[in-house]
Amino acid sequence: MTVFNLNNRPAARTWNGLVNDLFADFEKSQPNYSSQPNGKIPVNIKETENAYQLELAAPGRNKANFSLNVEKNSLTISYDEKTETENQGVKSIRTEFLTPSFKRTFILDEKVNAEQIEARYDNGILILTLPKKAEVKPEVKQISVQ
C-alpha cells in the first residue's frame, strides 16, 4: 500500500502552511526565554566596591508594567503585560510579538541598603543598582593601664 502526502505539493498548500514555512527559520534564530531554567528571564549580577548591579534582559517591554518590591530580605521583580485588542474586526493569522509575564525573586545580602535601590530601563535591559551599606567599624577604645 502506498501512502501519499498531498500537503507537500505547492498547489495543495494552505495559507497557514505557507506562512509557517516562511517563518520556520525565523523561529530558530530568535532567543527562546522559555529555554532558560524554569522559563526565567536571564540576569547578570555584578559587584562593585559600593554596590551590586542586576541587569535583566527584557527587550520590548513597557517600563510602566514592571513591579519591584522589597519585603524583608527579598527583592521581587515582576512584569505583567496588559494586552489590549485595538483592532476590532481584524483576525490575527499569526502572532509572534510576545512579551510574556515573569517574576524573579532575589534574596538580599545584609550588606544591601534596600531603601536606596534604584532602577532604570535602558535599551531593553532593566538595570537595578543595589547600594551597599556603609561599613560600621567598631570604635576603638584605648584603655590605660594603671
Side-chain angles (χ1 to χ4, degrees), residues 79-118:
Y79 180 84
D80 189 21
E81 180 70 31
K82 284 121 175 112
T83 56
E84 297 176 10
T85 54
E86 296 177 11
N87 300 329
Q88 299 296 332
V90 176
K91 180 181 175 185
S92 178
I93 295 172
R94 186 176 185 106
T95 303
E96 293 186 346
F97 294 168
L98 298 175
T99 52
S101 299
F102 69 87
K103 184 175 186 178
R104 297 272 325 242
T105 302
F106 300 91
I107 303 301
L108 298 177
D109 189 11
E110 64 270 357
K111 298 177 191 173
V112 173
N113 186 348
E115 296 174 7
Q116 294 183 351
I117 295 176
E118 296 176 358

Side-chain angles (χ1 to χ4, degrees), residues 25-109:
D25 292 333
F26 176 76
E27 290 176 357
K28 293 175 188 173
S29 67
Q30 296 301 307
N32 184 3
Y33 292 123
S34 63
S35 68
Q36 298 294 328
N38 301 324
K40 294 182 179 177
I41 297 295
V43 64
N44 293 334
I45 302 174
K46 301 176 183 178
E47 181 179 7
T48 64
E49 186 177 322
N50 300 322
Y52 296 100
Q53 189 171 47
L54 274 69
E55 300 173 339
L56 280 84
R61 305 235 176 16
N62 183 353
K63 67 180 180 179
N65 294 340
F66 284 104
S67 175
L68 291 88
N69 297 315
V70 176
E71 184 176 339
K72 296 186 181 179
N73 65 337
S74 65
L75 169 67
T76 302
I77 305 166
S78 60
Y79 180 84
D80 189 21
E81 180 70 31
K82 284 121 175 112
T83 56
E84 297 176 10
T85 54
E86 296 177 11
N87 300 329
Q88 299 296 332
V90 176
K91 180 181 175 185
S92 178
I93 295 172
R94 186 176 185 106
T95 303
E96 293 186 346
F97 294 168
L98 298 175
T99 52
S101 299
F102 69 87
K103 184 175 186 178
R104 297 272 325 242
T105 302
F106 300 91
I107 303 301
L108 298 177
D109 189 11

